Amino acid sequence: YGFPPEREQEGNLMLGKSLIESGQFDEGILALHDVIAAPHDTHPEWKQEALYLAADTCLLMPRPRTPEALGYSDQLLAMNSLPDEYRTLALVQRAECLSDLERFDEAKQALASLPPEAEKNPAAALMKGRILLDEVEANLDKLTPADRPQAAAAQADEISSAFNDLMRAMPANE
């Protein structure tokens, strides 16, 4: 049983996807590990997809495994042959991980390193707003309930600006 050697990477990628889609997250990630561990020069596109999917799965699990997701995103970003499309997705994903870990300055740096053409990417604009909201929420949680309204009002302009950036990034309805 198993896959023929020349189809093993592709088979494990498809198996990992199938297991993840059926809610078997841990098993799916294990199958993706076989793709990730293979020499990436064989089929770099499969390794890229496996790394992105593993990170995404870790973030979307009922109990997110954010540090693990960050590791997968960092591995993906370290690949030399990474196409711009995957680089943008990986940087947005990295920013999400860092924001979830309350490492807001690093999350903002990840988005700041996006190529200029990605600034109009709706996912990047949405993540910029999410990071801001996560940071506001984390800061408000540190305050007494009486101090929260004033602190939230102080952030209103920044939140409004992030919302306007998101609206500019959204494709126009035709």
Side-chain angles (χ1 to χ4, degrees):
Y1 298 114
F3 300 111
E6 68 277 2
R7 302 295 302 262
E8 191 170 358
Q9 261 190 300
E10 183 180 23
N12 281 319
L13 179 61
M14 291 171 37
L15 176 62
K17 285 180 180 181
S18 179
L19 289 167
I20 289 166
E21 287 175 6
S22 69
Q24 298 174 67
F25 304 118
D26 292 321
E27 295 83 354
I29 289 174
L30 282 175
L32 294 177
H33 271 276
D34 291 337
V35 179
I36 293 166
H40 70 269
D41 57 344
T42 310
H43 289 283
E45 68 278 6
W46 292 343
K47 184 171 184 172
Q48 292 162 4
E49 187 174 355
L51 284 165
Y52 181 79
L53 184 57
D56 204 42
T57 300
C58 286
L59 289 172
L60 297 174
M61 294 172 85
R63 290 188 192 142
R65 298 187 331 216
T66 307
E68 190 176 336
L70 180 59
Y72 292 126
S73 289
D74 287 345
Q75 284 181 59
L76 182 57
L77 287 165
M79 293 183 73
N80 292 330
S81 61
L82 192 63
D84 288 342
E85 175 188 337
Y86 260 112
R87 184 162 309 284
T88 296
L89 291 171
L91 284 167
V92 170
Q93 192 177 63
R94 183 174 201 282
E96 180 179 1
C97 294
L98 293 166
S99 185
D100 288 352
L101 294 169
E102 296 188 4
R103 294 164 54 185
F104 303 114
D105 289 337
E106 291 175 74
K108 292 173 189 173
Q109 288 173 357
L111 289 184
S113 65
L114 286 169
E117 62 274 4
E119 287 182 16
K120 296 194 184 245
N121 181 309
L126 185 61
M127 187 52 58
K128 180 181 176 185
R130 182 175 160 215
I131 293 166
L132 177 61
L133 291 175
D134 287 348
E135 186 174 21
V136 167
E137 180 181 24
N139 290 334
L140 291 177
D141 285 345
K142 296 173 187 171
L143 300 175
T144 64
D147 293 333
R148 290 178 185 163
Q150 183 180 356
Q155 298 287 317
D157 287 340
E158 197 172 350
I159 293 168
S160 178
S161 175
F163 179 75
N164 288 334
D165 289 347
L166 173 61
M167 295 310 294
R168 281 192 294 277
M170 297 302 289
N173 292 334
E174 296 176 3

